[in-house]
Amino acid sequence: MLRGCSAPLVLGFALCQTWNILCIALPDPITYAEPFHDLRWVSLTVCVGLLALSAIWSRKAQALLQRKRALVALGALASLGSFLGPASALQPDLAFPLIYIAAVAVGVGFAWLFLAWYNVFCLRHDLMGLALSVAVTAVLAYGLANVLTTDLVNTWVSAAIGSALPLASMGLLIAGTAGLAQLHPHGGTDDRNRAGGADAEEKSRVASDGQQDVKRQPLSLGALLPSTTLQRLSQRNRSILLRFCLCLLIAITAVEAVRNLLLSGTALTFYAGAANLLGLGLKLASTAWLLYLFETYDVRGVSAVYRVAFLMMLGVVLCIPSLLAGNWLAHTLLDLASYFFQVTMLVVAYQICVGFRVNPVMVFSLFRAVWALAALAGIGLGHAIASAHTPLGIQALTVGMGLAVAFAFTFAFTDRDCVKVLAAMPKRPAASPFRDKMRQVASRFALSERELEVMTLVAKGRSAARIADDLSVSPATVNSHVSHIYRKLGVHSRQQLLDLVERG
């Protein structure tokens, strides 16, 4: 299942998510000027606003997020925001405006760094890598939290670690996508080789056949773009997407409210300690189980996964009194339930993009905006309840949140909806050793999906004329693709290509 995953991309997105945890869930390792100002609401508000714009202008946002300079600028801005917070302690007179600038910069990172990553994983059709990155994040967060709870590092080392993560994340994204085909300005796939010295006329011929290429590739980059707005989705699919967002909003609000009430907003102990080691093992096991079910299109299994997520979230709400009493089992349940729900909904969002053929920037703009809005609501609700901490208030909270979670999973977005999304996914052809080896070579040498298709036909002995007929392109385009493939692989003949594929 992991053959198609890119290690740099998995690690890069894990670093991005770890940075998010440090900023939202664990800002206490970063010492701001006294008194401490919790400006997470500023970052989350900026995040919601930017993502709303990205959802409206999803094509423009997608084109921007595939530019190397834009990615570097985003990483630098997020890193600067992470460092300005603790650095404000060095300038007491400027501390207040510096902290607000830091909060805004971090909010930009919350929005667009994640959007860039979601876009890349969807366009690579790499569900495994996307979900695996969440598991790697759990491992990194556990290790980092345990280090930061000791005296091994001081405040400035912690600040340096937090500030370096966004830039390192963007560096790995750029490195991991260096050989991928880029988005064509008009929505098709651009399979042109951008290496220096390529002939301009040859590039023009490839571009002219781009629209025909898209029609023959149901899972290509261009195939994800036809429905870029909610209005262009069918009524059924639009309803599923909106109800999915409603369920996400209710569940994340519940989790954030409980976590903020329990931990007064932030605490390293939510991720560190021996008790959480058990939770970490359960997280990794649940991720493997979930991915296996979705990969094998196990309808009953996927339905069971969603029902388990519901039971775990309901258990979190019912355990609020035990959480406030410091029960470590209830604490572990909160951590595991929030993680399992996150991975489940992330996989569903990915499948909505691919199954409904929607621009991933639009879907994940909604996904991330709802997450930020729910985090805001959870923080506010947690503070409100903490200010009126009475047994009657806790009982009312438990009942109200329990009803809300039950409504979200049984009326808003049900296990039947989850199965409908799975059913919309295009079925993959049966695996074969030959196809697996071809895909391994394509991944190793960063070939595009179209180049992989052409290389496969060449390896089967098809002539240029036959390949052109099969793909509905011109022979000149086929020859151009073959030339680019040979150059990338460092071979000069079909026999050398076969030898390379045989070696894997």
Side-chain angles (χ1 to χ4, degrees):
M1 290 198 305
L2 303 179
R3 287 179 179 177
C5 296
S6 168
L9 295 182
V10 171
L11 177 59
F13 191 32
L15 293 179
C16 184
Q17 294 173 82
T18 303
W19 170 74
N20 180 92
I21 291 173
L22 286 175
C23 293
I24 289 294
L26 309 176
D28 52 345
I30 310 299
T31 302
Y32 292 85
E34 295 293 342
F36 173 73
H37 299 284
D38 187 357
L39 297 183
R40 290 178 295 169
W41 67 271
V42 175
S43 299
L44 291 171
T45 302
V46 170
C47 179
V48 171
L50 291 176
L51 289 170
L53 295 176
S54 299
I56 296 172
W57 291 291
S58 55
R59 284 182 181 270
K60 294 181 179 180
Q62 187 175 50
L64 176 65
L65 294 174
Q66 289 182 271
R67 296 176 182 172
K68 180 178 178 180
R69 291 182 179 179
L71 296 176
V72 173
L74 284 174
L77 182 63
S79 292
L80 177 64
S82 299
F83 192 75
L84 278 180
S88 64
L90 302 177
Q91 296 290 335
D93 295 337
L94 300 175
F96 196 70
L98 285 177
I99 292 175
Y100 268 91
I101 293 173
V104 171
V106 167
V108 174
F110 286 166
W112 283 341
L113 290 185
F114 277 78
L115 205 54
W117 277 111
Y118 292 141
N119 182 56
V120 165
F121 279 108
C122 282
L123 300 185
R124 283 176 52 89
H125 314 122
D126 189 5
L127 173 60
M128 288 298 144
L130 179 61
L132 185 60
S133 69
V134 183
V136 175
T137 300
V139 176
L140 292 177
Y142 178 79
L144 190 58
N146 279 283
V147 171
L148 294 178
T149 52
T150 68
D151 296 328
L152 297 177
V153 295
N154 60 32
T155 299
W156 294 107
V157 173
S158 301
I161 293 174
S163 301
L165 291 178
L167 270 178
S169 174
M170 288 298 95
L172 288 170
L173 187 150
I174 293 170
T177 58
L180 295 180
Q182 298 295 311
L183 181 65
H184 191 275
H186 299 293
T189 49
D190 184 359
D191 290 329
R192 294 170 291 181
N193 189 326
R194 301 182 185 274
D199 182 77
E201 182 179 355
E202 183 180 64
K203 288 185 176 183
S204 178
R205 286 196 300 268
V206 175
S208 67
D209 287 320
Q211 293 298 329
Q212 292 178 323
D213 287 356
V214 170
K215 296 178 182 178
R216 299 298 298 265
Q217 297 184 79
L219 279 179
S220 68
L221 173 58
L224 292 171
L225 297 177
S227 298
T228 56
T229 63
L230 288 176
Q231 291 75 15
R232 295 182 63 180
L233 281 172
S234 69
Q235 183 176 356
R236 169 182 172 274
N237 291 349
R238 182 167 62 249
S239 173
I240 289 176
L241 176 58
L242 293 178
R243 287 187 285 109
F244 167 79
C245 291
L246 177 60
C247 179
L248 188 67
L249 176 66
I250 294 173
I252 296 298
T253 299
V255 168
E256 288 299 321
V258 173
R259 192 182 63 78
N260 279 271
L261 182 63
L262 170 65
L263 304 174
S264 299
T266 63
L268 280 170
T269 54
F270 189 72
Y271 290 89
N276 285 307
L277 184 59
L278 171 63
L280 177 61
L282 293 174
K283 289 177 183 179
L284 299 180
S286 64
T287 302
W289 176 53
L290 186 149
L291 285 177
Y292 172 77
L293 294 177
F294 275 97
E295 269 294 295
T296 56
Y297 292 85
D298 187 336
V299 173
R300 291 185 179 179
V302 168
S303 180
V305 163
Y306 197 73
R307 291 196 295 269
V308 168
F310 164 59
L311 291 176
M312 293 179 71
M313 294 296 293
L314 190 60
V316 166
V317 175
L318 297 177
C319 286
I320 288 178
S322 298
L323 285 166
L324 296 177
N327 186 291
W328 72 271
L329 283 175
H331 178 279
T332 301
L333 175 62
L334 170 61
D335 186 23
L336 182 60
S338 61
Y339 172 88
F340 188 76
F341 177 77
Q342 175 192 2
V343 178
T344 301
M345 299 306 267
L346 186 62
V347 171
V348 172
Y350 168 91
Q351 294 191 321
I352 288 175
C353 291
V354 178
F356 295 172
R357 301 202 178 175
V358 187
N359 190 327
V361 169
M362 189 202 75
V363 172
F364 279 103
S365 290
L366 293 175
F367 176 86
R368 187 70 177 165
V370 168
W371 169 85
L373 195 61
L376 268 174
I379 291 172
L381 184 60
H383 287 326
I385 297 171
S387 62
H389 194 288
T390 62
L392 182 60
I394 297 301
Q395 184 177 2
L397 168 70
T398 303
V399 173
M401 292 180 63
L403 291 174
V405 169
F407 169 80
F409 282 85
T410 58
F411 292 100
F413 189 80
T414 68
D415 62 315
R416 293 188 299 275
D417 294 316
C418 199
V419 170
K420 289 177 183 177
V421 173
L422 179 66
M425 289 287 289
K427 300 298 185 292
R428 291 180 300 275
S432 69
F434 174 75
R435 185 179 292 110
D436 290 343
K437 288 184 178 181
M438 297 298 292
R439 187 160 291 278
Q440 288 178 27
V441 171
S443 177
R444 175 184 171 190
F445 292 94
L447 300 184
S448 67
E449 286 293 324
R450 173 58 77 188
E451 288 172 335
L452 170 59
E453 190 172 8
V454 172
M455 179 178 66
T456 301
L457 294 175
V458 170
K460 290 181 178 180
R462 304 282 175 84
S463 66
R466 173 66 183 277
I467 295 174
D469 183 62
D470 289 345
L471 302 182
S472 298
V473 298
S474 68
T477 299
V478 173
N479 290 330
S480 175
H481 281 308
V482 172
S483 176
H484 297 161
I485 293 167
Y486 282 5
R487 186 183 306 124
K488 288 183 178 181
L489 271 55
V491 299
H492 302 90
S493 66
R494 175 175 172 272
Q495 185 57 52
Q496 290 182 349
L497 169 63
L498 291 174
D499 292 341
L500 179 63
V501 171
E502 184 63 27
R503 294 194 301 268

